[in-house]
Amino acid sequence: MHNNLLVLQSDFGLVDGAVSAMVGVALEESPTLKIHHLTHDITPYNIFEGSYRLFQTVNYWPEGTTFVSVVDPGVGSKRKSVVVKTIQNQYIVTPNNGTLSFIKKHVGIVAIREISEVENRRKNTEHSYTFHGRDVYAYTGAKLASGHITFEEVGPELDIEDIVEIPVVETIIENDSVRGAIDILDVRFGSLWTSITREEFYTLKPRFNNRFEVTIYNNDMLVYQNQVTYGKSFADVRIGQPILYINSLYRVGLAINQGSFAKAYNVGVGAQWSIEIKRIEK
């Protein structure tokens, strides 16, 4: 099942010709491909972010879509180049370096194959070791998306257990609080997207307009502590006020109405940034 759709993601940016070279290689393989861009603004080398953006996006694309994700700080090393097939019959072409973590955990992967570089590498690129995005991933992605090769022809099957996973922070649930990590930013607006799911937060039995004590630590350093309203949407609080809400991925978000929470309090992302949401007893 191939639908001629190819979706590209990378940390390359658009300031040089790298992304355009990938598009050119894909169109050389099949001029009728419909090529789209997920993002090329992944923070350089940030595998976690690449993984998260795939998870944020793949569910909204049709069955049979092929994704190419290249966030590859280990390019040229021993990390394997792979294609996985998801439970929804989509394909993701990527290094096996942690990029598949969120897809494996939250979407589901049914099979993984190593890209055979003898068959599925662009001709005359054997002596280039640093642009697999162009020479291996875009090329293989285009062959798959166009139906020029089947999934089985990608290369030898691997064990799903071989998928490299990034360690994730487990949510700690207590009687009156939940604690997790700040996974990522809603970049343009500066909202914080946490690892705490809606179900986990709802163990506190929240109601809209309830207030919660929100505490953010960077390692052990206190960065923020305040009472914050839980709302349905940003307009539930005045402009400039903080709000807790459930984001588009059914996780708890923390925002400032028409402002950037991340900039206002210099908050970063990753396992060392923890957030606790505590019920305030009436």
Side-chain angles (χ1 to χ4, degrees):
M1 162 87 186
H2 308 273
N3 64 7
N4 230 30
L5 290 173
L6 186 64
V7 182
L8 305 179
Q9 166 175 281
S10 74
D11 58 356
F12 297 163
L14 296 173
V15 292
D16 67 9
V19 170
S20 190
M22 287 172 69
V23 171
V25 162
L27 291 174
E28 202 174 50
E29 178 63 30
S30 176
T32 60
L33 278 177
K34 295 186 176 73
I35 298 174
H36 300 269
H37 300 278
L38 196 162
T39 179
H40 295 290
D41 284 328
I42 299 293
T43 305
Y45 319 122
N46 194 322
I47 293 164
F48 181 98
E49 197 179 318
S51 180
Y52 202 99
R53 294 302 176 211
L54 280 172
F55 158 59
Q56 186 184 350
T57 309
V58 297
N59 283 338
Y60 303 99
W61 282 83
E63 190 177 357
T65 301
T66 300
F67 296 83
V68 170
S69 177
V70 192
V71 182
D72 194 15
V75 64
S77 70
K78 290 201 164 37
R79 60 96 192 94
K80 287 183 159 71
S81 301
V82 299
V83 182
V84 296
K85 184 179 184 178
T86 72
I87 212 156
Q88 298 154 327
N89 290 323
Q90 296 167 323
Y91 303 97
I92 300 170
V93 184
T94 187
N96 183 23
N97 61 4
T99 297
L100 294 162
S101 300
F102 276 89
I103 297 296
K104 183 178 174 192
K105 186 167 181 179
H106 300 296
V107 177
I109 289 170
V110 295
I112 174 170
R113 290 182 174 274
E114 184 175 1
I115 297 172
S116 163
E117 291 195 15
V118 177
E119 305 293 328
N120 295 314
R121 183 184 179 120
R122 198 162 172 266
K123 295 287 175 280
N124 302 319
T125 63
E126 294 77 14
H127 301 296
S128 165
Y129 303 106
T130 59
F131 198 179
H132 287 176
R134 174 195 66 195
D135 302 333
V136 179
Y137 300 124
Y139 182 66
T140 302
K143 288 174 87 169
L144 254 182
S146 60
H148 292 176
I149 59 170
T150 63
F151 178 59
E152 289 67 33
E153 291 172 308
V154 164
E157 189 160 14
L158 302 175
D159 194 311
I160 288 173
E161 294 309 306
D162 294 340
I163 292 172
V164 174
E165 292 184 74
I166 300 162
V168 291
V169 173
E170 299 297 336
T171 303
I172 296 165
I173 299 173
E174 290 174 347
N175 283 337
D176 62 348
S177 70
V178 290
R179 185 177 177 128
I182 297 162
D183 272 347
I184 205 158
L185 301 182
D186 185 355
V187 180
R188 191 148 168 88
F189 301 104
S191 310
L192 313 183
W193 284 12
T194 76
S195 60
I196 300 164
T197 65
R198 182 181 183 277
E199 292 74 27
E200 290 163 347
F201 176 53
Y202 266 64
T203 61
L204 302 182
K205 301 187 169 54
R207 293 190 173 169
F208 292 122
N209 296 319
N210 285 167
R211 292 169 76 76
F212 292 84
E213 184 181 85
V214 175
T215 311
I216 296 172
Y217 295 94
N218 180 9
N219 289 316
D220 295 327
M221 189 175 75
L222 180 67
V223 174
Y224 177 84
Q225 188 167 51
N226 203 356
Q227 292 190 7
V228 181
T229 300
Y230 171 50
K232 196 177 282 190
S233 66
F234 306 119
D236 286 355
V237 296
R238 294 196 308 279
I239 290 173
Q241 293 295 303
I243 184 168
L244 282 169
Y245 66 102
I246 301 298
N247 71 15
S248 56
L249 295 173
Y250 292 121
R251 280 161 175 68
V252 176
L254 180 60
I256 291 173
N257 187 14
Q258 294 187 35
S260 167
F261 198 103
K263 281 204 180 108
Y265 298 102
N266 283 324
V267 177
V269 300
Q272 76 274 24
W273 287 89
S274 67
I275 179 166
E276 183 181 51
I277 303 166
K278 192 169 184 181
R279 200 169 43 221
I280 298 168
E281 297 307 333
K282 294 277 191 292

